[in-house]
Amino acid sequence: MANEKISKNIDAYVPDSTAYYLGYSNADYKKPFAKYFDFNVDPISDEVQKGIVSSPWGSGLGYEASEGHDYLLRPGYLPVENGYLKTPQGAWMVACRTDMGQVTGEAYDWWFAWHSVESARYKLWYPTAHQYSWRHPEAVDIANKSFAERYYNTFSFIDEYIGGDHAKVTVAFIDPAELGIDKSKWPALGIETMIVARVGIGGTFSEAFTNRTCLTYFIAHITEGFDGVSHLIHQIRRKADGTREMRSRFWLGPGIPETIAHDICVHCGTEMPRESSTGDTWKIQRLILFRFGQNLATTLQGVQGRALA
């Protein structure tokens, strides 16, 4: 159809995890954005580190993903913004807060729509941990869709290191409304976007650790069989001074050891600052704005079509 604009993966899906690798190959360095790849990763912030040292926090301070529509739409801050705890129903909840400078919710939605179709893009985000990315389905019509709508109902097949082990992880993005989140309340709270997804490793997190001793051995990306507990939420919220912050939450289903909750908190505290307005990933977006104009919606709409068509 004339009004279609089709986004496709750059390469075919590779199920064999032995073909995944950290860093850039010679071919990767020929990509137009390769100069933004940098193995130098800053340490986690003091507040994240202090939150981890204080963990696990008391179970009574936790809540389930199904309650995020209430807790994360409250003004101000919650008792645990950094660190991890076990919720009353037995899931691990991980929290991490990141100052994002001038990264808007729209820019962050663009990033999620842009990076998932190519491993080389995904590696920009966390070069010492991210190995692979491919989006299911292969083709998505992105015409007349907001940046957020472009990743809704897609599955991101990734492979990354969480601590010392790597795993095939599936991130199934959904409309926040599916988790009961009322988007009409966002403007009054300064919320600019919330990225929401179901999360699975192979079958379910609990199966992964019941049947395997190491994440590396769990080898399937999935489009069904999620445990109903494991989710992630990344919220971009505007602060009183006009800058933005990200409030991240992860829920990990029963059976996950505490070490994984710890490692995910460290992982999140390391990768998210790279998307702040002083981080390497944000340099890509600043370059796009410089080259194509200052209006974010118009600029990224045009670049998205060329980059993902």
Side-chain angles (χ1 to χ4, degrees):
M1 296 177 63
N3 62 343
E4 285 186 343
K5 184 185 294 183
I6 303 301
S7 162
K8 294 183 178 180
N9 288 287
I10 302 302
D11 300 304
Y13 176 61
V14 178
D16 181 5
S17 61
T18 64
Y20 307 158
Y21 56 92
L22 290 173
Y24 264 23
S25 66
N26 289 336
D28 293 330
Y29 275 113
K30 295 178 181 178
K31 304 284 184 180
F33 47 79
K35 67 179 181 179
Y36 301 105
F37 179 82
D38 185 359
F39 262 128
N40 295 311
V41 177
D42 291 335
I44 60 177
S45 69
D46 287 345
E47 70 171 280
V48 174
Q49 185 174 17
K50 290 176 181 177
I52 292 172
V53 170
S54 299
S55 298
W57 295 81
S59 177
L61 299 175
Y63 46 93
E64 312 303 326
S66 59
E67 299 174 295
H69 68 90
D70 172 16
Y71 283 88
L72 291 175
L73 268 65
R74 297 178 182 180
Y77 296 100
L78 298 170
V80 179
E81 292 287 342
N82 294 286
Y84 57 91
L85 54 81
K86 183 164 283 190
T87 70
Q89 294 187 22
W92 285 107
M93 187 189 86
V94 178
C96 185
R97 196 199 72 85
T98 306
D99 285 315
M100 298 298 286
Q102 294 301 331
V103 177
T104 65
E106 188 176 27
Y108 201 58
D109 283 331
W110 167 80
W111 167 252
F112 270 85
W114 182 79
H115 82 259
S116 64
V117 300
E118 183 176 15
S119 296
R121 301 181 187 189
Y122 188 56
K123 292 180 180 189
L124 293 171
W125 192 357
Y126 195 168
T128 58
H130 290 179
Q131 295 199 117
Y132 185 75
S133 180
W134 193 87
R135 186 201 60 208
H136 175 83
E138 158 63 19
V140 174
D141 184 1
I142 61 174
N144 303 315
K145 291 182 178 179
S146 68
F147 298 123
E149 290 169 340
R150 295 178 183 189
Y151 61 76
Y152 288 171
N153 302 314
T154 67
F155 299 81
S156 186
F157 291 174
I158 59 176
D159 189 283
E160 62 182 31
Y161 278 85
I162 302 171
D165 294 319
H166 70 91
K168 283 185 175 179
V169 179
T170 301
V171 181
F173 295 106
I174 59 176
D175 187 320
E178 292 189 35
L179 209 59
I181 295 171
D182 186 351
K183 289 183 278 188
S184 70
K185 296 180 179 179
W186 290 3
L189 295 166
I191 297 171
E192 296 184 343
T193 195
M194 292 178 73
I195 291 89
V196 181
R198 302 187 303 274
V199 181
I201 296 183
T204 65
F205 278 108
S206 58
E207 289 174 352
F209 289 96
T210 298
N211 301 326
R212 303 289 189 273
T213 58
C214 176
L215 282 173
T216 306
Y217 300 134
F218 215 68
I219 57 173
H221 288 121
I222 60 173
T223 57
E224 58 184 14
F226 294 88
D227 63 19
V229 176
S230 303
H231 287 78
L232 66 78
I233 296 176
H234 299 305
Q235 178 193 86
I236 296 290
R237 186 171 68 171
R238 188 174 58 257
K239 299 192 293 183
D241 64 1
T243 64
R244 277 77 174 178
E245 64 184 350
M246 181 187 299
R247 301 168 72 213
S248 297
R249 299 292 185 274
F250 302 84
W251 289 268
L252 312 175
I256 301 298
E258 180 180 339
T259 53
I260 298 301
H262 168 277
D263 291 347
I264 286 179
C265 197
V266 173
H267 187 105
C268 186
T270 304
E271 70 179 345
M272 294 309 176
R274 293 180 62 82
E275 294 189 313
S276 71
S277 57
T278 58
D280 292 327
T281 301
W282 176 244
K283 291 179 183 177
I284 300 172
Q285 299 178 31
R286 286 191 293 169
L287 175 65
I288 291 170
L289 293 176
F290 175 77
R291 290 181 61 185
F292 295 94
Q294 297 301 311
N295 183 283
L296 181 66
T298 301
T299 296
L300 296 183
Q301 181 81 21
V303 174
Q304 181 87 340
R306 287 193 292 276
L308 297 183

